[in-house]
Coordinates of all heavy atoms in Angstrom, one line a residue:
G1 N -134.3 -24.0 -120.9 CA -134.7 -24.6 -119.6 C -134.2 -26.1 -119.5 O -133.8 -26.5 -118.4
L2 N -134.4 -26.8 -120.5 CA -133.9 -28.2 -120.5 C -132.4 -28.3 -120.3 O -131.9 -29.1 -119.5 CB -134.3 -28.9 -121.8 CG -135.7 -29.5 -121.9 CD1 -135.9 -30.1 -123.3 CD2 -136.0 -30.5 -120.8
T3 N -131.7 -27.4 -120.9 CA -130.2 -27.4 -120.8 C -129.8 -27.0 -119.3 O -129.0 -27.7 -118.7 CB -129.6 -26.4 -121.8 OG1 -130.0 -26.7 -123.1 CG2 -128.1 -26.3 -121.6
A4 N -130.5 -26.0 -118.8 CA -130.2 -25.6 -117.4 C -130.6 -26.8 -116.4 O -129.8 -27.1 -115.5 CB -131.0 -24.4 -117.0
L5 N -131.7 -27.5 -116.7 CA -132.1 -28.6 -115.8 C -131.0 -29.7 -115.9 O -130.7 -30.3 -114.9 CB -133.5 -29.1 -116.3 CG -134.1 -30.2 -115.4 CD1 -134.3 -29.7 -114.0 CD2 -135.4 -30.6 -116.0
G6 N -130.5 -30.0 -117.1 CA -129.5 -31.0 -117.3 C -128.2 -30.6 -116.5 O -127.6 -31.5 -115.9
L7 N -127.8 -29.4 -116.6 CA -126.6 -28.9 -115.9 C -126.9 -29.0 -114.4 O -126.0 -29.5 -113.7 CB -126.3 -27.5 -116.3 CG -125.7 -27.3 -117.6 CD1 -125.5 -25.8 -117.9 CD2 -124.3 -28.0 -117.7
F8 N -128.0 -28.6 -113.9 CA -128.3 -28.7 -112.5 C -128.3 -30.2 -112.0 O -127.7 -30.5 -111.0 CB -129.7 -28.1 -112.2 CG -130.1 -28.2 -110.7 CD1 -129.5 -27.4 -109.8 CD2 -131.0 -29.2 -110.4 CE1 -129.8 -27.6 -108.4 CE2 -131.4 -29.3 -109.0 CZ -130.8 -28.5 -108.1
A9 N -128.9 -31.1 -112.8 CA -128.9 -32.5 -112.4 C -127.5 -33.0 -112.3 O -127.2 -33.8 -111.4 CB -129.7 -33.3 -113.4
S10 N -126.6 -32.7 -113.3 CA -125.3 -33.2 -113.2 C -124.5 -32.6 -112.1 O -123.7 -33.3 -111.4 CB -124.5 -32.9 -114.5 OG -124.3 -31.6 -114.7
V11 N -124.7 -31.4 -111.7 CA -124.1 -30.8 -110.5 C -124.6 -31.4 -109.3 O -123.8 -31.7 -108.3 CB -124.3 -29.2 -110.5 CG1 -123.8 -28.6 -109.2 CG2 -123.5 -28.6 -111.7
A12 N -125.9 -31.7 -109.2 CA -126.5 -32.3 -108.0 C -125.9 -33.7 -107.8 O -125.7 -34.1 -106.6 CB -128.0 -32.3 -108.2
Q13 N -125.6 -34.4 -108.8 CA -125.1 -35.8 -108.7 C -123.6 -35.7 -108.3 O -123.1 -36.6 -107.7 CB -125.3 -36.6 -110.0 CG -126.7 -37.0 -110.2 CD -126.9 -37.8 -111.5 OE1 -126.0 -37.8 -112.3 NE2 -128.0 -38.4 -111.6
A14 N -122.9 -34.7 -108.7 CA -121.5 -34.6 -108.4 C -121.2 -33.9 -107.2 O -120.7 -32.8 -107.2 CB -120.8 -34.0 -109.6
H15 N -121.7 -34.4 -106.1 CA -121.5 -33.7 -104.8 C -120.4 -34.4 -104.0 O -120.0 -35.5 -104.3 CB -122.8 -33.8 -104.0 CG -123.2 -35.2 -103.6 ND1 -122.7 -35.8 -102.5 CD2 -124.0 -36.1 -104.1 CE1 -123.2 -37.0 -102.3 NE2 -124.0 -37.2 -103.3
G16 N -119.9 -33.7 -103.1 CA -118.8 -34.2 -102.2 C -119.4 -35.1 -101.2 O -120.6 -35.4 -101.2
P17 N -118.6 -35.6 -100.2 CA -119.1 -36.5 -99.2 C -120.1 -35.9 -98.2 O -120.1 -34.6 -98.0 CB -117.8 -36.9 -98.5 CG -116.9 -35.8 -98.7 CD -117.2 -35.2 -100.1
T18 N -120.9 -36.7 -97.7 CA -121.9 -36.2 -96.6 C -121.5 -37.0 -95.3 O -121.1 -38.1 -95.4 CB -123.3 -36.5 -97.0 OG1 -123.5 -37.9 -97.3 CG2 -123.7 -35.7 -98.2
R19 N -121.7 -36.3 -94.2 CA -121.4 -36.9 -92.9 C -122.3 -38.1 -92.7 O -123.6 -38.0 -92.8 CB -121.6 -35.9 -91.8 CG -121.0 -36.4 -90.5 CD -120.2 -35.3 -89.9 NE -119.7 -35.5 -88.6 CZ -118.5 -36.0 -88.3 NH1 -117.7 -36.3 -89.3 NH2 -118.1 -36.2 -87.1
Q20 N -121.7 -39.2 -92.3 CA -122.5 -40.5 -92.0 C -122.5 -40.7 -90.5 O -121.6 -40.3 -89.8 CB -121.8 -41.7 -92.7 CG -121.7 -41.5 -94.2 CD -123.0 -41.4 -94.9 OE1 -123.9 -42.2 -94.7 NE2 -123.1 -40.4 -95.8
K21 N -123.6 -41.3 -90.0 CA -123.7 -41.6 -88.6 C -124.1 -43.0 -88.4 O -125.0 -43.5 -89.1 CB -124.7 -40.7 -87.9 CG -124.2 -39.2 -87.9 CD -125.2 -38.3 -87.3 CE -124.7 -36.9 -87.4 NZ -125.6 -35.9 -86.9
I22 N -123.5 -43.7 -87.5 CA -123.8 -45.1 -87.2 C -124.0 -45.3 -85.7 O -123.3 -44.7 -84.9 CB -122.6 -46.0 -87.6 CG1 -122.2 -45.9 -89.1 CG2 -122.8 -47.5 -87.3 CD1 -123.3 -46.4 -90.0
V23 N -125.0 -46.1 -85.4 CA -125.2 -46.5 -84.0 C -125.3 -48.0 -83.9 O -126.1 -48.6 -84.6 CB -126.4 -45.8 -83.4 CG1 -126.7 -46.3 -81.9 CG2 -126.4 -44.3 -83.5
V24 N -124.5 -48.6 -83.1 CA -124.6 -50.1 -82.9 C -124.6 -50.3 -81.4 O -123.8 -49.6 -80.7 CB -123.4 -50.8 -83.5 CG1 -123.4 -52.3 -83.2 CG2 -123.3 -50.6 -85.0

């Protein structure tokens, strides 16, 4: 379980870009 959790955490941190939105 700990190993799986560690793998999941590393995959969750290594994500691609997310769409950003700005309003000025």
Side-chain angles (χ1 to χ4, degrees):
L2 279 178
T3 303
L5 185 61
L7 287 172
F8 176 75
S10 68
V11 168
Q13 287 180 343
H15 66 84
T18 55
R19 191 131 174 98
Q20 303 298 312
K21 295 179 181 175
I22 300 295
V23 177
V24 176

